[in-house]
Amino acid sequence: MDILTAIKGRKSIRKYSTKPIEEEKLNKILEAIRFAPSARNGQPYKILVIRDAAKKAALRKELEAPAYFEDAPVLLAACGLDHAVMNNGQIKDTIDASIAMAFAVLQAYELGLGTVWTAGYDGEKMKKALGIPAQYSCVTVIPLGYAAEDPDPKPRKELNEIVCYDEFKE
Ligand SMILES: Cc1cc2nc3c(=O)[nH]c(=O)nc-3n(C[C@H](O)[C@H](O)[C@H](O)COP(=O)(O)O)c2cc1C
């Protein structure tokens, strides 16, 4: 599968089979994270791989989150460490962890696995439920597993709505 096919084919999945993920597939996804670029190659994050059913259930309860937090066989929590603001005003670990997880999401799709990015939950509650130390941020928790739904693709803006050439046009 070429990269643009993966980018265009991926969709957020919010219903999962409880079928376990092959270790080999999980490792490929973690490798995609490992090889993602980061500011000054710092890789300022830890990825917490949650497979324990009790931990997933506790997290779902704490966040009042949908069933996919429990049904998906794996949750990947991206925990950022370096909260420095870069010269461009952006926060280092949020950017770096997000790029790494975007790579993970695409690798997962190529392996036939579904994901959904989540950011709608209280970061402090996520840290508490997962035992993540105070100095880390919880950038996202992404369920990973075989899809139990096939949602319609979401529309995208046209290129001319998001791209301009040479001169900035609102
Ligand atoms: C930064 C970010 C935060 C998101 N937060 C949530 C979320 O909390 N819950 C959820 O169900 N989907 C969440 N999504 C998924 C988006 O709703 C979804 O990517 C978007 O509607 C496009 O649909 P698609 O992923 O199927 O192409 C998030 C996506 C991004 C990139």
Side-chain angles (χ1 to χ4, degrees):
M1 185 184 294
D2 70 33
I3 288 176
L4 193 56
T5 303
I7 289 169
K8 288 188 170 180
R10 183 217 54 83
K11 301 182 276 193
S12 290
I13 298 298
R14 298 181 178 86
K15 283 199 180 114
Y16 290 87
S17 149
T18 53
K19 181 183 165 183
I21 295 172
E22 295 82 348
E23 201 67 19
E24 207 176 83
K25 290 192 176 183
L26 177 60
N27 286 337
K28 275 193 177 174
I29 292 162
L30 298 175
E31 277 291 274
I33 292 172
R34 187 162 81 91
F35 276 84
S38 59
R40 297 193 174 189
N41 208 18
Q43 298 179 278
Y45 41 72
K46 285 264 188 209
I47 309 300
L48 178 61
V49 181
I50 305 148
R51 293 183 284 200
D52 181 73
K55 278 221 160 133
K56 288 190 289 171
L59 180 66
R60 181 187 172 198
K61 195 170 168 212
E62 179 73 25
L63 302 178
E64 298 177 35
Y68 59 71
F69 268 72
E70 241 177 298
D71 296 340
V74 172
L75 301 176
L76 297 178
C79 311
L81 187 52
D82 185 346
H83 316 312
V85 177
M86 298 183 286
N87 288 342
N88 66 356
Q90 304 300 310
I91 299 169
K92 210 184 250 183
D93 61 344
T94 308
I95 299 286
D96 288 341
S98 295
I99 291 169
M101 296 308 279
F103 280 30
V105 159
L106 289 175
Q107 177 60 82
Y109 178 76
E110 199 264 339
L111 295 168
L113 294 166
T115 55
V116 59
W117 195 286
T118 72
Y121 303 100
D122 184 302
E124 290 308 312
K125 284 187 181 172
M126 290 199 283
K127 283 164 61 176
K128 186 178 149 212
L130 296 173
I132 296 167
Q135 66 270 29
Y136 286 84
S137 61
C138 192
V139 175
T140 184
V141 174
I142 295 189
L144 185 62
Y146 288 96
E149 65 166 357
D150 184 16
D152 291 335
K154 292 271 172 61
R156 291 296 194 259
K157 292 180 179 177
E158 294 300 328
L159 259 190
N160 63 12
E161 295 179 86
I162 58 169
V163 177
C164 44
Y165 294 91
D166 299 323
E167 265 180 50
F168 197 93
K169 291 193 185 84
E170 289 247 26

